[in-house]
Amino acid sequence: MTVNADSSFSIASSWRDLPAAQQPEYPDLEALRAVTADIEGYPPLVFAGEADQLRARLASVARGEAFLLQGGDCAEAFDQVSADQIRAKLKTLLQMSAVLTYAAAVPVVKVGRIAGQYSKPRSKSTETRDGVSLPSYRGDSVNGPEFTPEARIPDPERLRRMYHASAATLNLVRGFTTGGYADLRQVHAWNQDFVRTSASGQRYEALAREIDNALNFMKACGADPAEFHSVEFYASHEALLLDYEAALTRVDSRSGRLYDVSGHMVWIGERTRQLDGAHIAFAASISNPIGVKIGPTTTPEEALALIDRLDPEREAGRLTFITRMGADKIRDLLPPLVERVTASGAEVAWVCDPMHGNTFEAASGHKTRRFDDVLDEVKGFFEVHKGLGTHPGGIHVELTGDDVTECVGGGNEILVDDLHQRYETACDPRLNRSQSLDLAFLVAEMYRG
Ligand code: PEP
Ligand code: CO
């Protein structure tokens, strides 16, 4: 949407008159206003031109020429903004991307759930333990995870911390991805601490040797393109807290359009995608690439209405539908959506989130997912698109670079009885490094299919 600077305020805030689901109930609105006024003066975390570049990459995904790998924590946490943890996540994504690029021979668009993924929608507004009920934890940007009345009070100062944590994370991500660490000749180095202990690490090592041979061959031929020395990596998160996202929404001086400069891509979650709600109105006002989570209740009419609202110009790359149906439903529920959207002439990118439709509670009380269900949902996604002649555009996954025990199954099998060993997520269970690599190899096979 093009605006002049004078009207930007009213357009950026038109969502304020609409119902906004899942917003914190701040006890002190003056304090909230003081914090958001400060954030309005902070420098952008990303540039509009970078968001445009990602939109162009996602247009390739929508057209069937590239594959989106979007992944990271369910919820980032302030006390996990460390070089080791950020590097491990990046390493995992780079390894997955190398597997997909080489084994499926497709360009991979790399987008982290990173540097801003601090806010969580919750199905229940309270949490009860031993007969005591407190407001739910809504992510480090809102309140604290500790089960005390004080920690659970929404604190607007946390928005400021989210900005700084995002800035620190993004700074390191930019350093890693352009400063030599992501050079393709590091394919072995990304695997070093991992290879001996796991079958997927060994499988990766074999693939890395092939990549090495190909690089040596090309170098001997005199080809050493700049693309091999750094990677394009983008940051994304759920645009949940509208006070924060709006405070970081700015008019781009080149185009006069509004951009949310808190991340390159933002998505609207399954619980906040109401057509007449504030989140969709906010997303419609900005020019970033937008994702929308599409769950099992979504009708084709709703999908078409979302396209009308968010992509009225039918511009490939603007809108990504991230489907999260559940392994047992995707084969029935996805085809009518894809058929109707395709028939409408819209060019959306279709991406599979095989995580959020497959969560259950283990007998131990841990929220978990089965690796086999995750895999089966991705399989169903590929089958549906193959059947309809449309493009399976990518995967959206919750993962970490650490060897956590949060999802069951995988090549290095984690059993329900192992879950307690290293269960560290602040919200939903994530694939660990070995499970993530297993998934990348299996997805590459399906893509080649
Ligand atoms: C998430 O991505 O962590 C999430 C809450 O997803 P959804 O909106 O699809 O439930
Ligand atoms: Co999640």
Side-chain angles (χ1 to χ4, degrees):
M1 175 172 302
T2 306
V3 292
N4 61 43
D6 293 341
S7 64
S8 66
F9 178 75
S10 57
I11 291 186
S13 57
S14 64
W15 56 267
R16 286 193 192 274
D17 302 328
L18 300 171
Q22 299 278 343
Q23 302 304 288
E25 289 178 19
Y26 293 107
D28 181 353
L29 288 177
E30 268 314 304
L32 171 66
R33 272 189 283 276
V35 170
T36 54
D38 284 351
I39 295 175
E40 280 168 22
Y42 290 170
L45 294 173
V46 305
F47 291 124
E50 296 174 318
D52 287 346
Q53 195 168 45
L54 175 57
R55 210 174 50 211
R57 301 290 180 254
L58 291 169
S60 305
V61 172
R63 286 195 294 261
E65 298 154 7
F67 191 78
L68 174 66
L69 172 63
Q70 187 172 23
D73 291 304
C74 178
E76 293 180 277
F78 293 156
D79 66 4
Q80 283 167 19
V81 182
S82 73
D84 283 352
Q85 264 160 325
I86 296 165
R87 185 175 42 225
K89 256 179 283 188
L90 271 179
K91 222 161 29 180
T92 306
L93 288 165
L94 289 173
Q95 287 190 279
M96 291 176 81
S97 162
V99 169
L100 285 160
T101 311
Y102 192 78
V106 63
V108 174
V109 181
K110 295 168 269 298
V111 180
R113 282 176 64 111
I114 202 166
Q117 182 51 22
Y118 290 99
S119 317
K120 299 312 299 173
R122 303 312 304 250
S123 302
K124 298 195 191 92
S125 58
T126 56
E127 180 185 348
T128 304
R129 291 190 200 172
D130 302 325
V132 180
S133 291
L134 292 177
S136 294
Y137 169 63
R138 291 182 173 273
D140 276 10
S141 62
V142 176
N143 54 8
E146 304 80 17
F147 195 72
T148 63
E150 301 74 38
R152 295 297 172 92
I153 298 171
D155 177 2
E157 282 299 326
R158 287 175 169 271
L159 299 177
R160 202 193 303 279
R161 288 182 70 189
M162 161 157 64
Y163 173 88
H164 290 298
S166 301
T169 302
L170 201 51
N171 183 53
L172 195 63
V173 167
R174 289 187 192 278
F176 276 141
T177 53
T178 59
Y181 185 75
D183 190 310
L184 251 191
R185 272 163 304 190
Q186 303 285 325
V187 278
H188 291 286
W190 303 333
N191 202 39
Q192 242 163 28
D193 50 336
F194 185 54
V195 57
R196 279 181 297 279
T197 55
S198 112
S200 52
Q202 283 163 9
R203 191 173 176 194
Y204 173 85
E205 201 53 31
L207 179 130
R209 276 195 295 272
E210 287 182 41
I211 294 179
D212 251 0
N213 287 339
L215 291 178
N216 289 338
F217 171 74
M218 289 181 65
K219 194 154 188 209
C221 295
D224 190 19
E227 285 81 355
F228 290 172
H229 298 296
S230 65
V231 299
E232 248 180 68
F233 189 91
Y234 297 95
S236 72
H237 61 270
E238 177 173 351
L240 184 70
L241 300 186
L242 294 177
D243 288 306
Y244 176 82
E245 302 299 335
L248 283 167
T249 293
R250 313 278 162 83
V251 179
D252 170 34
S253 55
R254 303 164 316 158
S255 63
R257 289 147 71 108
L258 287 171
Y259 284 80
D260 182 349
V261 294
S262 70
H264 299 107
M265 176 188 193
V266 292
W267 75 84
I268 305 299
E270 167 73 355
R271 294 165 189 77
T272 51
R273 60 173 170 76
Q274 299 81 13
L275 285 161
D276 52 0
H279 289 83
I280 293 296
F282 170 76
S285 76
I286 57 173
S287 293
N288 305 58
I290 301 290
V292 182
K293 292 287 200 88
I294 297 284
T297 60
T298 318
T299 62
E301 289 70 30
E302 269 178 304
L304 293 174
L306 283 167
I307 293 169
D308 282 340
R309 290 295 308 283
L310 297 175
D311 183 22
E313 286 154 35
R314 303 292 192 268
E315 184 193 5
R318 158 70 173 168
L319 185 57
T320 298
F321 277 152
I322 306 164
T323 62
R324 29 92 87 221
M325 300 294 176
D328 54 340
K329 301 193 192 74
I330 184 155
R331 291 169 180 82
D332 296 327
L333 298 181
L334 187 58
L337 293 175
V338 176
E339 274 175 314
R340 289 284 296 282
V341 168
T342 307
S344 79
E347 270 190 298
V348 304
W350 293 100
V351 169
C352 177
D353 166 356
M355 316 297 296
H356 289 90
N358 298 308
T359 315
F360 68 98
E361 196 174 306
S364 57
H366 294 98
K367 204 173 170 189
T368 189
R369 294 159 173 154
R370 287 186 199 90
F371 182 80
D372 285 350
D373 292 340
V374 169
L375 193 61
D376 190 37
E377 177 150 1
V378 182
K379 251 188 208 146
F381 174 79
F382 273 85
E383 284 165 25
V384 169
H385 283 287
K386 196 163 187 201
L388 296 173
T390 47
H391 180 234
I395 53 172
H396 178 119
V397 283
E398 289 183 342
L399 56 78
T400 167
D402 303 321
D403 283 326
V404 298
T405 56
E406 298 173 4
C407 293
V408 292
N412 237 6
E413 191 172 357
I414 291 177
L415 305 171
V416 173
D417 289 341
D418 299 329
L419 288 174
H420 67 95
Q421 287 177 11
R422 204 173 157 192
Y423 192 95
E424 296 175 358
T425 182
C427 191
D428 289 339
R430 304 159 295 179
L431 300 177
N432 62 26
R433 180 127 162 247
S434 157
Q435 291 166 328
S436 301
L437 268 190
D438 284 342
L439 182 67
F441 276 109
L442 293 161
V443 169
E445 277 168 25
M446 290 180 221
Y447 196 87
R448 270 196 323 244

